[in-house]
């Protein structure tokens, strides 16, 4: 009997990950990763470049699994909401022709993070790494807060924390109020002399990632007792909690607002960030229950594809956040 596989895809700044899974047996799954990010051009996310990377990876996985058909696929991509027009226009036909995919969902990475963390139940997910976005649903619609990028938002995310930490380091270098000698030492150990820091950061095309690389140092300094570093993380926690509160579903008759899950690499910082964040969430969302994320965005993509294959997708569809293409082959 031919296996009807599902395909999950996660595309972001760290590259492209693809997983082939048997929806009837979750243990049967294999993944591949390409560290080359999908290009973004004037027209948005480059659909041709995504296909050039994705199709060979999917065929390799299918061959290793002994063949079969791809019943459904879900692609989660950073920037899908604002830059995914070409993907929505081109991918359904291209993947149907190349891999026989009949059912396809195209989602922003915030939605796949949600599906990975909470599945298809109401609640709130905060996804934080270099950036930060909060997404909530009562299963009738989506509410999103922040995720506007490091220049306009992403408050409390890794780039924001790193930039605030470097600000405190440079204040210490100048002798200005609000500085931290511990953060100055950490910054110079990572980047070299403080006076050279602008030249190390401003010309970089990956500035958000460079700034975010300093966030763990802020966490270490806070854990060692540095008050300025701890203050940065306390403010980050407040920003994150404000975004979570903005998207949390309304409380039901029992006063509950659903679960709140945290997902993303930023939270591996541990207690220096999580302790103030839990306090902020408790104060702002007393009817919510904080839970561990069940999985990550690639798990969410696979879950979306499996639900789509089984006609069981209950998360709200949305033109840009969660777009389900018309079924092919009928």
């Amino acid at each position: 009997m031919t296996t009807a596989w599902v395909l999950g895809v996660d595309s972001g700044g760290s590259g492209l990950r693809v997983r082939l899974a048997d929806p009837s047996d979750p243990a049967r799954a294999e993944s591949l990763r390409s560290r080359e990010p999908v290009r973004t051009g004037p027209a948005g996310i480059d659909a041709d470049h995504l296909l050039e990377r994705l199709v060979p990876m999917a065929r390799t996985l299918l061959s290793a699994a002994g063949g079969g058909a791809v019943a459904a696929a879900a692609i989660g991509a950073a920037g899908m909401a604002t830059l995914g027009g070409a993907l929505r226009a081109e991918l359904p036909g291209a993947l149907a022709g190349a891999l026989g995919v009949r059912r396809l969902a195209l989602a922003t990475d915030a939605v796949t993070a949600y599906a990975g963390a909470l599945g298809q139940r109401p609640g709130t997910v905060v996804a934080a790494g270099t950036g930060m976005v909060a997404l909530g649903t009562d299963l009738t619609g989506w509410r999103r807060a922040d995720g506007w990028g490091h220049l306009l938002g992403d408050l409390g995310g890794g780039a924001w924390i790193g930039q605030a930490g470097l600000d405190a380091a440079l204040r210490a270098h100048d002798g200005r109020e609000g500085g931290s000698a511990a953060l100055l030492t950490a910054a110079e150990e990572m980047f070299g002399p403080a006076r050279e820091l602008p030249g190390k950061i401003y010309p970089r095309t990956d500035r958000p990632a460079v700034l975010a690389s300093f966030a763990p140092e802020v966490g270490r300094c806070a854990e060692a007792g540095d008050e300025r570093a701890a203050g940065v993380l306390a403010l980050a926690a407040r920003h994150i909690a404000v975004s979570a509160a903005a998207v949390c579903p309304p409380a039901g008759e029992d006063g509950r607002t659903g679960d709140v899950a945290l997902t993303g690499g930023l939270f591996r910082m541990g207690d220096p960030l999580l302790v103030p964040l839990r306090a902020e969430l408790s104060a702002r969302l007393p009817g919510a229950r904080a839970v561990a994320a069940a999985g990550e965005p690639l798990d969410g993509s696979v879950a979306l594809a499996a639900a789509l294959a089984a006609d069981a997708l209950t998360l709200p569809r949305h033109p840009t956040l969660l777009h389900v293409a018309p079924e092919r082959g009928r």
Side-chain angles (χ1 to χ4, degrees):
M1 182 177 177
T2 301
T3 301
W5 302 97
V6 295
L7 191 70
V9 180
D10 177 50
S11 175
S14 60
L16 183 71
R17 297 184 299 161
V18 182
R19 180 176 296 164
L20 188 73
D22 181 348
S24 65
D25 182 5
R28 293 184 66 197
E30 295 292 339
S31 304
L32 287 175
R33 179 174 185 172
S34 167
R35 295 191 178 275
E36 179 186 1
V38 175
R39 291 191 295 263
T40 299
I45 301 171
D46 190 326
D48 289 337
H49 190 227
L50 175 62
L51 288 166
E52 287 172 9
R53 312 299 301 170
L54 170 58
V55 171
M57 294 168 74
R59 286 175 173 160
T60 297
L61 289 169
L62 279 168
S63 177
V70 178
I75 297 175
M80 180 72 78
T82 53
L83 301 171
L87 299 190
R88 291 186 287 272
E90 299 178 31
L91 258 58
L95 291 178
L99 299 172
V101 176
R102 289 173 50 199
R103 298 181 176 184
L104 176 65
L106 299 170
T108 178
D109 57 342
V111 169
T112 55
Y114 187 102
L118 289 181
Q120 298 199 88
R121 66 185 192 269
T124 303
V125 168
V126 175
T130 298
M132 195 288 298
V133 64
L135 198 68
T137 182
D138 57 3
L139 299 186
T140 65
W142 292 104
R143 299 174 72 182
R144 172 186 160 173
D146 214 334
W148 299 118
H150 77 292
L151 292 178
L152 299 177
D154 285 353
L155 302 182
W160 184 94
I161 291 172
Q163 183 171 1
L166 291 172
D167 170 74
L170 292 175
R171 285 174 180 272
H173 175 268
D174 295 347
R176 289 180 286 144
E177 182 179 322
S180 163
L183 287 171
L184 175 59
T185 298
E188 293 195 321
E189 287 178 353
M190 177 174 283
F191 296 107
R195 64 181 179 278
E196 298 176 5
L197 194 55
K200 297 284 182 65
I201 292 180
Y202 290 150
R204 296 284 293 265
T205 58
D206 58 345
R207 280 187 300 275
V210 177
L211 292 169
S213 71
F214 192 63
E217 297 301 321
V218 179
R220 280 188 275 273
C221 289
E223 195 165 29
D226 185 76
E227 292 185 3
R228 181 71 179 107
V232 168
L233 297 183
L235 183 54
R238 187 177 309 164
H239 284 312
I240 293 170
V242 165
S243 290
V247 304
C248 190
E253 294 182 359
D254 60 357
R256 296 291 307 280
T257 58
D259 294 336
V260 178
L262 308 177
T263 185
L266 183 66
F267 299 117
R268 289 197 289 268
M269 186 182 295
D271 284 352
L273 176 61
L274 291 177
V275 168
L277 178 54
R278 290 185 184 119
E280 290 280 356
L281 289 172
S282 178
R284 296 174 187 277
L285 295 171
R289 181 182 67 162
V291 299
E296 47 138 9
L298 184 58
D299 300 312
S301 292
V302 172
L304 290 176
L308 195 58
D311 289 321
L313 183 60
T314 58
L315 289 176
R317 303 187 185 196
H318 185 277
T320 58
L321 296 178
L322 179 55
H323 169 73
V324 177
E327 185 172 345
R328 297 276 166 163
R330 286 189 177 180

